[in-house]
Amino acid sequence: MFVLRAVIAALIAAAIGVALIPLAVLLDLRRGGTGWGLCADGLGECRNSYFAGFEFIGWLFAALFVLLGMIAMCVKILRYLEHRAGRDSNMVVQ
């Protein structure tokens, strides 16, 4: 069960990391960078389609949705295993 808890912690850390990506992109653009490829020539010369930002956000939401689904599945498995371990220990005592 320790391994499952470690997996849940890693998934939570990954979800936080994905959620912080827009902040990192904005900070990169503010410093004159490309925004991780969003604006090739920097913010002053940015000539993207109207859907580039929406596509970026869509990928982020999809990644967060998958990560949160995996977290929910791992928590459900952990609860099942803890419930089963508790029930087995009660049978031994009686």
Side-chain angles (χ1 to χ4, degrees):
M1 285 195 283
F2 174 76
V3 174
L4 196 55
R5 290 176 197 260
V7 168
I8 291 170
L11 288 171
I12 290 172
I16 291 170
V18 169
L20 290 177
I21 287 175
L23 179 63
V25 168
L26 288 175
L27 286 174
D28 185 47
L29 283 171
R30 186 175 186 275
R31 291 183 190 141
T34 65
W36 293 12
L38 197 58
C39 294
D41 297 324
L43 193 57
E45 299 294 323
C46 192
R47 301 284 182 248
N48 277 338
S49 69
Y50 291 112
F51 298 107
F54 293 118
E55 182 180 350
F56 183 68
I57 295 297
W59 282 109
L60 289 175
F61 279 152
L64 281 174
F65 181 75
V66 168
L67 286 169
L68 292 177
M70 291 173 64
I71 290 169
M73 181 181 64
C74 288
V75 167
K76 192 173 237 183
I77 291 169
L78 182 64
R79 284 184 184 165
Y80 172 75
L81 291 174
E82 286 176 344
H83 176 71
R84 195 172 112 193
R87 186 176 43 176
D88 291 344
S89 66
N90 286 340
M91 294 176 121
V92 173
V93 172
Q94 295 175 351

